Amino acid sequence: MIEEKRFDLPDIASMERFGTAIAERLRAGDVVALEGGLGAGKTTLARAIIAALGYEREVPSPTFTIIETYDAPPLRLPVVHADFYRLEDPSELGEIGLDDYRDGAALIAEWPDHAGGFTHEAGCLSILLETAGEGRIAIARGAADWLGRMP
């Protein structure tokens, strides 16, 4: 069973509140799969989640490094922030060692479709971000482990 909710995010403050709500419910092993076009707000939401988990410095976009890791402490739990935009094939995940990074951590994945997707995982919260005027709309779909934990 999948639970789906829609959120109106008219400004940055609402995006940050949404990120905080996700961070409060995030567990090791979870995946937050962020989908949407260029400029939809994927990195902004990822930054809000990581900040709400306790990271106090600037969160760089992993567009060029593909993977950025954040340890606990200072975060409440370890996080892997990945941007799969530059992957040409999901088989490249083995080359970058994604599974090693994910051990005991939550994964925030931008462009998850380039990595073959994560919706098959019970701990996947898939969020589609769409532009709506100056703001965004988020459509969140929580897999089995997110039932009762949805933001």
Side-chain angles (χ1 to χ4, degrees):
M1 182 172 168
I2 299 218
E3 185 175 358
E4 181 175 303
K5 290 186 178 180
R6 180 184 173 104
F7 302 88
D8 290 318
L9 307 171
D11 52 31
I12 292 291
S14 62
M15 182 81 82
E16 290 171 351
R17 286 190 300 274
F18 185 51
T20 297
I22 293 167
E24 289 171 349
R25 294 157 175 83
L26 198 62
R27 300 177 187 161
D30 284 344
V31 177
V32 179
L34 302 176
E35 303 174 81
L38 289 170
K42 297 178 295 296
T43 301
T44 300
L45 182 55
R47 287 177 173 145
I49 295 167
I50 294 167
L53 288 169
Y55 195 73
E56 296 180 356
R57 296 186 298 187
E58 185 172 331
V59 175
S61 171
T63 299
F64 295 104
T65 59
I66 300 176
I67 291 178
E68 292 285 338
T69 60
Y70 300 89
D71 296 325
L75 271 64
R76 182 176 60 79
L77 71 149
V79 171
V80 177
H81 179 198
D83 184 331
F84 298 119
Y85 182 76
R86 295 188 314 122
L87 293 186
E88 294 181 15
D89 189 271
S91 66
E92 294 177 70
L93 289 177
E95 295 171 25
I96 61 175
L98 180 64
D99 288 340
D100 295 332
Y101 289 109
R102 287 188 64 187
D103 188 33
L107 171 64
I108 300 172
E110 298 184 44
W111 300 96
D113 56 317
H114 290 221
F118 297 92
T119 56
H120 62 281
E121 296 187 23
C124 184
L125 175 64
S126 177
I127 300 172
L128 173 62
L129 292 166
E130 299 177 343
T131 56
E134 295 294 314
R136 305 290 183 268
I137 293 171
I139 301 167
R141 293 179 186 95
D145 286 355
W146 280 91
L147 295 178
R149 277 200 294 152
M150 288 283 283

